[in-house]
Amino acid sequence: MTQLDLMGDGDSLSLRGKVYKQLRTDILSGKYKDHEELRENTIAREYGVSRTPVREAIRQLELEGLVHTVPNKGAYVSSIKRKDVEDIYAIRALLEGLCARWAAENITRQQLEEAQEILFMTRYHLEHGHFEQLYQYDGKFHEVLYRACSSPILNHVLRDFHEYIQNVRRRALKDRQRAVLCQEEHEAILDAIKKHDPDLAARLASQHIENAAANVIREKLNTEE
């Protein structure tokens, strides 16, 4: 069960916002499958809330294209489409380059040490074939750079994109060859950032995302309608 923390979790989200955020996460993580019906009563009981914020969250998610409503039947999950994934990677290639550029100019010693530790742990899990941990540490590495760029706006946008394609990322990193290349690319990006070389960091980060996108297309991951 996913009982929401309604007493506050250190942020200013309203009840409606918390329900929306949790339901969005549950859809993007694959807890609710494509075409699965979202039953207001069931979700309300699971989250420990009334039906009203659940209904409002479903309406908001419909605007995002993650839910579609069939009149007189109900609301159903709409998984992200191949075109959505391709668009997100194209946008990320530009924004991740900008993020790495700004990180090369603004990263702190503590953030550098944190990123280095993450890559050390990633290398360990890569050598031992721990693919779920690889996925977790891949996200952590990018999150350090998002914070290091010193732009709350860019941080928010990139985190949102990262969450949106989490299932695609998880499946891609189960490909050992791609996982090895991803580790090498991360190490090269961090090395450029350490040297405070914004041009090189930006170029490597953009190429990293372009490589990831090419892998997704090549493997024909299940993002079709």
Side-chain angles (χ1 to χ4, degrees):
M1 294 196 54
T2 308
Q3 191 77 23
L4 294 185
D5 177 8
L6 303 180
M7 300 304 294
D9 54 6
D11 60 35
S12 59
L13 285 177
S14 63
L15 175 59
R16 172 184 172 181
K18 289 180 179 181
V19 172
Y20 158 75
K21 184 177 180 181
Q22 185 61 53
L23 185 55
R24 185 178 190 271
T25 296
D26 287 344
I27 290 173
L28 292 174
S29 68
K31 177 180 177 180
Y32 294 110
K33 307 302 181 185
D34 193 22
H35 306 306
E36 182 175 349
E37 184 176 2
L38 297 173
R39 300 180 182 276
E40 291 180 10
N41 284 334
T42 302
I43 296 170
R45 284 197 302 271
E46 181 179 351
Y47 290 178
V49 300
S50 69
R51 291 176 58 185
T52 299
V54 174
R55 186 180 305 115
E56 293 172 343
I58 288 174
R59 287 173 181 166
Q60 190 169 350
L61 289 166
E62 187 171 16
L63 295 176
E64 284 191 44
L66 292 176
V67 172
H68 71 279
T69 300
V70 179
N72 303 316
K73 287 190 175 182
Y76 300 84
V77 174
S78 295
S79 63
I80 60 174
K81 307 302 185 289
R82 185 176 200 84
K83 180 63 164 56
D84 297 328
V85 173
E86 292 173 352
D87 289 350
I88 288 172
Y89 273 105
I91 296 168
R92 279 188 66 203
L94 298 173
L95 295 185
E96 294 268 3
L98 180 61
C99 176
R101 175 181 296 280
W102 287 351
E105 298 170 345
N106 297 293
I107 198 166
T108 66
R109 181 180 296 276
Q110 182 178 359
Q111 288 167 339
L112 274 173
E113 291 175 353
E114 184 180 357
Q116 191 63 64
E117 177 65 19
I118 288 169
L119 291 185
F120 175 81
M121 292 302 299
T122 305
R123 176 66 68 180
Y124 170 82
H125 290 299
L126 179 60
E127 291 173 352
H128 290 79
H130 301 160
F131 293 106
E132 181 59 29
Q133 287 83 353
L134 280 177
Y135 164 75
Q136 297 295 335
Y137 277 100
D138 173 82
K140 289 180 180 180
F141 177 77
H142 283 277
E143 287 172 5
V144 173
L145 299 194
Y146 298 165
R147 287 188 277 110
C149 79
S150 295
S151 170
I153 295 174
L154 186 55
N155 184 338
H156 173 76
V157 171
L158 285 172
R159 281 175 178 269
D160 202 44
F161 280 151
H162 228 223
E163 182 182 14
Y164 208 81
I165 55 172
Q166 60 185 280
N167 274 344
V168 174
R169 290 174 42 242
R170 179 181 277 109
R171 285 179 293 186
L173 287 171
K174 288 182 179 179
D175 177 341
R176 180 172 177 79
Q177 182 178 7
R178 177 56 203 154
V180 169
L181 290 175
C182 183
Q183 173 73 9
E184 294 173 352
E185 290 164 6
H186 281 179
E187 290 173 350
I189 292 167
L190 186 59
D191 187 57
I193 290 174
K194 281 182 182 178
K195 294 175 180 176
H196 301 290
D197 187 336
D199 289 339
L200 179 59
R203 185 166 69 253
L204 290 173
S206 292
Q207 186 62 56
H208 169 60
I209 302 302
E210 290 171 2
N211 291 345
N215 181 74
V216 167
I217 295 171
R218 183 171 58 251
E219 295 298 324
K220 297 181 180 179
L221 296 179
N222 186 27
T223 55
E224 298 288 354
E225 294 188 47

